[in-house]
Amino acid sequence: MSNNILIHYPKANSRPVSVNYKISNEDGLKTITCVVPDKENTPAWLELQKFELQAMKFDKGYDLVFEQRKFDRNLDTVLFMDKVFEKIMDLRQT
C-alpha cells in the first residue's frame, strides 16, 4: 500500500484508525483497495481489515458504485468505509 490516512470515527475526537490504500483507474472506474494494518488496535465495531471501494467518474467527480454486499456489514463499518472514501477523494482534489 502506498498511501496512509487516519480516520476519526465515530466522532471527530475518536481514536484514529490508520488506513493504508492504493488507487487504480481503468476506463472511468476508480478502485480503492484499503487495509487497516493495525489488527491489535482495530475497533471492535470494524468488521473488515481489508476492503475495496469502487467509484465511477461523472461530470463533477467520482461517485461510489452501489454494492449490496457492502451493506451486509454493521452500520458503523459501512459508515466508516464511506468516511474513508470521502477523505481519500478530498485529498485527491487538493
Side-chain angles (χ1 to χ4, degrees):
M1 297 285 152
S2 57
N3 300 295
N4 181 272
I5 56 173
L6 295 175
I7 303 294
H8 295 268
Y9 183 87
K11 298 179 181 176
N13 63 352
S14 295
R15 183 178 58 82
V17 176
S18 176
V19 178
N20 295 339
Y21 69 94
K22 68 178 180 177
I23 300 174
S24 61
N25 293 296
E26 187 176 319
D27 298 327
L29 186 66
K30 186 178 294 265
T31 301
I32 305 168
T33 304
C34 303
V35 174
V36 178
D38 189 2
K39 295 177 185 175
E40 306 286 319
N41 293 310
T42 300
W45 51 261
L46 185 56
E47 294 182 320
L48 300 170
Q49 296 277 160
K50 184 177 181 181
F51 55 93
E52 281 190 350
L53 303 167
Q54 292 191 323
M56 290 189 82
K57 180 134 177 94
F58 290 98
D59 294 335
K60 296 184 181 185
Y62 284 86
D63 287 332
L64 273 174
V65 173
F66 177 80
E67 294 182 64
Q68 180 62 43
R69 66 185 168 94
K70 176 181 169 184
F71 294 95
D72 292 341
R73 305 293 176 190
N74 68 41
L75 182 59
D76 282 322
T77 296
V78 172
L79 293 174
F80 176 80
M81 291 166 62
D82 287 346
K83 190 159 181 99
V84 168
F85 176 76
E86 179 183 316
K87 181 148 187 182
I88 291 170
M89 291 295 101
D90 285 347
L91 290 173
R92 304 299 286 179
Q93 294 177 9
T94 57

